């Protein structure tokens, strides 16, 4: 399962905003590894540099030195292979003259297709296949007089998930959709302001966390200071997978440190599914904290049964089928000294298609484990995501097709326990009604999704579907 994109922005006259953004994007690299980009403005001109690759591959001294100005936005992108194009790398620049904006987007617009048709009929042209360009053109199509009202107009027309960094020649805007599906926060540095998908990016550049940007909020940052405009919000729908897997454990969302939430998920799993075992291990890195939690609560010793090769990037292993078939062997190496003859509790974040988990179980058995008891921090995923998470079709989701005992047999584990929804909410320690949990429950927060052809839910993936559910 992959998430889609990290957003960063900085307003800091007198600072090297491009370099600050570069380090911010570094901290957000886990949110997208296919392309990276930075746009800056000096008040006269907006410059953009965006390429395919990791942040460290895209930028060098030369490219950063051309990105001058006092405002910057940056973006890390994840996309499916089909739309992995240079043209889709963000930030994208849309408009002409003083009516130009640079935009960086994390999320997914559900009604992008009808908006695209409407804007095309009005003469707006599109150079990418990303719904982000629909957002940008929608803002530019507004007849309102100022940028805040133009953005407001777009927010009233858009349906879906969007955490945005938007830059004009003179201002930086941070915008979060009324559901608050993806996180976005505000920070301060000496003489300036920072916005970021996650608070860990603020820490790395020495910025101070100020607050979350609220669902339905527009934050405007300019020479006049920081202003906030709040749109009406109804149901909130923060993606609970930010807590389970997407966000970095050292980030804080809604006042809850992700590391603590994951630790508590492991503790809840130990309560819900106790087992007599000699070793607890979390699948690195996403389930490391949950493994510690399980060990704490169960008093079963914690150890590392798998070591992760952290430098195998997706970019390098994708193109070659033969190498891709090596699968988890490229990623993990078992430690027989830890596993030999033991009954092992292995904690992981989630099971989506069920293609990786059997390989990991096999590796641990090959390392000498006598028994493998899988414990999963997410409840069974039975419905696809239409909010921009590249997950699977309903047909491909293993928990939609098999009972839990059948999944256990399929992955080759001796026992399997999925954390309950109540256990998950207890671990996250926030009100249940602020979250989207549609991939567990099928209760999609956006009406248009409920109206989708049932067949589409059965057969369509976000990447196969029409424009409406393409990713950025
Ligand atoms: S459906 Fe699942 S993955 Fe998608 S936004 Fe909702 S909780 Fe997140």
């Amino acid at each position: 399962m992959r998430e889609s994109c990290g957003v960063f922005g900085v307003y800091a006259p007198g600072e090297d905003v491009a370099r600050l953004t570069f380090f911010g994007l570094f901290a957000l690299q886990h949110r997208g590894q296919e392309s990276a980009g930075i746009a800056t403005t000096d008040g006269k001109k907006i410059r953009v540099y965006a390429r395919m690759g990791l942040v460290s591959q895209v930028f060098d001294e030369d490219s950063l030195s051309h990105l001058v100005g006092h405002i910057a936005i940056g973006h890390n992108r994840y996309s499916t292979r089909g739309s992995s194009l240079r043209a889709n790398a963000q930030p994208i620049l849309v408009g002409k003259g003083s009516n130009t904006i640079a935009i960086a987007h994390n999320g997914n617009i559900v009604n992008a297709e009808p908006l695209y048709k409407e804007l095309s009929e009005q003469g707006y042209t599109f150079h990418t296949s990303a719904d982000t360009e629909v957002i940008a053109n929608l803002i530019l199509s507004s007849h309102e007089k100022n940028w805040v009202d133009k953005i407001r107009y777009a927010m009233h027309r858009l349906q879906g998930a969007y955490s945005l960094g938007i830059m004009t020649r003179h201002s930086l805007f941070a915008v979060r959709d009324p559901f608050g599906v993806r996180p976005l926060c505000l920070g301060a540095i000496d003489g300036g302001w920072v916005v970021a998908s996650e608070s860990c990016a603020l820490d790395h550049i020495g910025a101070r966390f100020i607050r979350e940007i609220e669902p339905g909020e527009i934050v405007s940052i300019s020479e006049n200071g920081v202003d906030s405009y709040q749109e009406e919000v109804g149901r909130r729908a923060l993606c609970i997978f930010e807590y389970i897997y997407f966000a970095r454990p050292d980030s804080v969302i809604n006042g809850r440190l992700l590391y603590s939430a994951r630790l508590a998920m492991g503790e809840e799993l130990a309560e819900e599914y106790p087992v007599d075992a000699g070793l607890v291990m979390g699948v690195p890195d996403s389930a490391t904290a949950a493994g510690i939690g399980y060990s704490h609560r169960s008093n079963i010793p914690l150890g590392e049964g798998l070591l992760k090769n952290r430098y195998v990037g997706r970019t390098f292993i994708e193109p070659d089928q033969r190498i891709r078939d090596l699968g988890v062997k490229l990623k993990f190496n078992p430690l027989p000294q830890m596993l030999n003859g033991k009954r092992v509790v292995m904690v992981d974040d989630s099971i989506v298609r069920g293609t990786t988990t059997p390989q990991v179980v096999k590796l641990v058995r090959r390392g000498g484990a006598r028994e493998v008891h899988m414990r999963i921090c997410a409840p069974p995923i039975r419905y696809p995501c239409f909010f921009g998470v590249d997950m699977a079709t309903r047909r491909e989701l293993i928990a939609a097709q098999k009972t839990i005992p059948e999944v256990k047999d399929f992955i080759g584990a001796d026992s399997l326990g999925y954390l309950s929804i109540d256990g998950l909410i207890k671990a996250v320690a926030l009100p249940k009604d602020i979250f989207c949990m549609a991939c567990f429950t099928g209760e999609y927060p956006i009406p248009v999704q409920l109206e989708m052809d049932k067949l589409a839910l059965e057969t369509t993936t976000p990447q196969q579907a029409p424009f409406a559910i393409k990713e950025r």
Side-chain angles (χ1 to χ4, degrees):
M1 189 197 304
R2 293 172 191 281
E3 217 278 305
S4 48
C5 310
V7 171
F8 190 84
V10 55
Y11 182 102
E15 295 289 333
D16 185 346
V17 290
R19 202 167 296 266
L20 288 173
T21 305
F22 170 77
F23 286 115
L25 292 181
F26 243 135
L28 298 172
Q29 186 73 84
H30 59 288
R31 296 186 74 88
Q33 292 99 42
E34 290 205 359
S35 69
I38 296 175
T40 60
T41 175
D42 56 4
K44 297 187 197 93
K45 190 174 174 187
I46 298 179
R47 297 169 175 85
V48 187
Y49 189 84
R51 295 285 184 276
M52 304 304 291
L54 300 170
V55 178
S56 58
Q57 296 165 326
V58 169
F59 294 101
D60 56 18
E61 279 301 327
D62 188 49
S63 51
L64 286 174
S65 68
H66 288 97
L67 291 165
V68 295
H70 61 290
I71 314 176
I73 58 170
H75 190 263
N76 285 331
R77 178 168 189 265
Y78 166 71
S79 76
T80 57
R81 228 177 317 162
S83 54
S84 179
L85 302 168
R86 158 74 185 88
N88 289 343
Q90 296 188 26
I92 56 170
L93 207 55
V94 183
K96 279 190 193 134
S98 61
N99 211 30
T100 302
I101 57 172
I103 183 166
H105 173 206
N106 175 203
N108 193 65
I109 302 303
V110 176
N111 64 338
E113 189 174 16
L115 290 172
Y116 167 76
K117 280 188 189 144
E118 180 188 316
L119 290 161
S120 298
E121 280 163 19
Q122 288 172 25
Y124 288 88
T125 49
F126 290 82
H127 305 284
T128 74
S129 60
D131 54 4
T132 309
E133 203 175 7
V134 172
I135 303 175
N137 277 320
L138 194 61
I139 293 169
L140 295 176
S141 74
S142 163
H143 297 300
E144 298 293 346
K145 294 278 177 287
N146 61 63
W147 286 111
V148 169
D149 287 341
K150 283 175 188 286
I151 293 168
R152 265 194 185 132
Y153 164 79
M155 289 175 81
H156 292 164
R157 304 282 324 273
L158 293 166
Q159 288 183 320
Y162 51 92
S163 280
L164 303 169
I166 300 172
M167 194 179 70
T168 65
R169 282 186 191 173
H170 303 287
S171 303
L172 171 66
F173 298 93
V175 182
R176 198 166 168 213
D177 70 72
F179 291 108
V181 179
R182 296 288 154 222
L184 196 61
C185 64
L186 177 69
I189 46 170
D190 282 349
W193 300 93
V194 184
V195 295
S197 292
E198 291 179 38
S199 64
C200 67
L202 305 181
D203 301 337
H204 278 294
I205 64 155
R208 195 162 31 91
F209 176 84
I210 301 293
R211 64 175 177 86
E212 310 275 331
I213 291 170
E214 292 298 321
E217 184 180 7
I218 305 169
V219 170
S220 153
I221 307 171
S222 68
E223 60 184 4
N224 302 323
V226 178
D227 290 303
S228 163
Y229 306 85
Q230 183 62 53
E231 292 301 287
E232 206 177 301
V233 296
R235 185 200 187 300
R236 291 171 68 172
L238 172 61
C239 173
I240 199 143
F241 265 97
E242 293 288 347
Y243 287 86
I244 298 169
Y245 171 73
F246 295 145
R248 255 174 54 165
D250 52 340
S251 286
V252 175
I253 303 178
N254 281 325
R256 181 74 162 141
L257 178 69
L258 275 285
Y259 185 85
S260 308
R262 288 176 192 167
L263 208 65
M265 287 172 206
E267 290 172 350
E268 290 301 320
L269 274 169
E271 289 289 334
E272 292 186 6
Y273 303 100
V275 62
D276 183 17
L279 177 78
V280 177
M281 52 171 281
V283 176
D285 293 317
S286 54
T288 302
I292 295 169
Y294 195 103
S295 169
H296 278 176
R297 185 60 60 91
S298 62
N299 284 321
I300 300 170
L302 178 77
E304 287 185 275
L306 288 174
L307 284 201
K308 187 175 177 184
N309 178 7
R310 291 192 168 77
Y311 303 102
V312 176
R314 178 173 184 268
T315 323
F316 300 108
I317 62 175
E318 271 288 300
D320 188 324
Q321 182 63 37
R322 190 176 49 86
I323 295 178
R324 200 160 61 228
D325 286 344
L326 287 171
V328 298
K329 271 189 240 146
L330 280 173
K331 216 170 161 191
F332 299 117
N333 206 17
L335 271 178
Q337 292 80 351
M338 293 301 296
L339 296 166
N340 212 2
K342 291 198 178 123
R343 307 179 73 193
V344 175
V345 176
M346 181 155 66
V347 184
D348 204 355
D349 54 73
S350 54
I351 302 178
V352 185
R353 290 177 175 85
T355 47
T356 316
T357 314
Q359 297 181 53
V360 181
V361 172
K362 218 180 269 173
L363 262 190
V364 171
R365 285 200 196 280
R366 225 175 271 157
R370 186 156 50 97
E371 289 176 15
V372 181
H373 300 272
M374 280 306 296
R375 299 293 179 265
I376 306 297
C377 295
I381 299 171
R382 297 197 166 105
Y383 302 88
C385 175
F386 287 94
F387 266 146
V389 176
D390 175 18
M391 208 183 243
T393 63
R394 183 124 205 254
R395 201 164 285 160
E396 289 168 322
L397 292 169
I398 191 166
Q401 303 303 325
K402 295 182 191 297
T403 63
I404 293 173
E406 285 170 349
V407 177
K408 181 208 80 142
D409 290 343
F410 183 82
I411 64 173
D414 292 281
S415 73
L416 169 65
Y418 287 98
L419 187 59
S420 66
I421 288 182
D422 286 348
L424 178 60
I425 292 299
K426 205 168 155 201
V428 170
L430 289 162
K432 192 175 181 177
D433 61 5
I434 69 165
F435 289 109
C436 172
M437 291 189 282
C439 47
F440 312 137
T441 62
E443 290 161 20
Y444 293 96
I446 292 186
V448 72
Q449 291 184 289
L450 292 174
E451 288 159 20
M452 277 180 181
D453 182 356
K454 214 166 168 242
L455 194 65
L457 282 177
E458 295 293 333
T459 60
T460 311
T461 64
Q463 51 272 47
Q464 289 166 339
F467 195 91
I469 45 180
K470 263 184 189 155
E471 294 178 75
R472 296 110 331 274

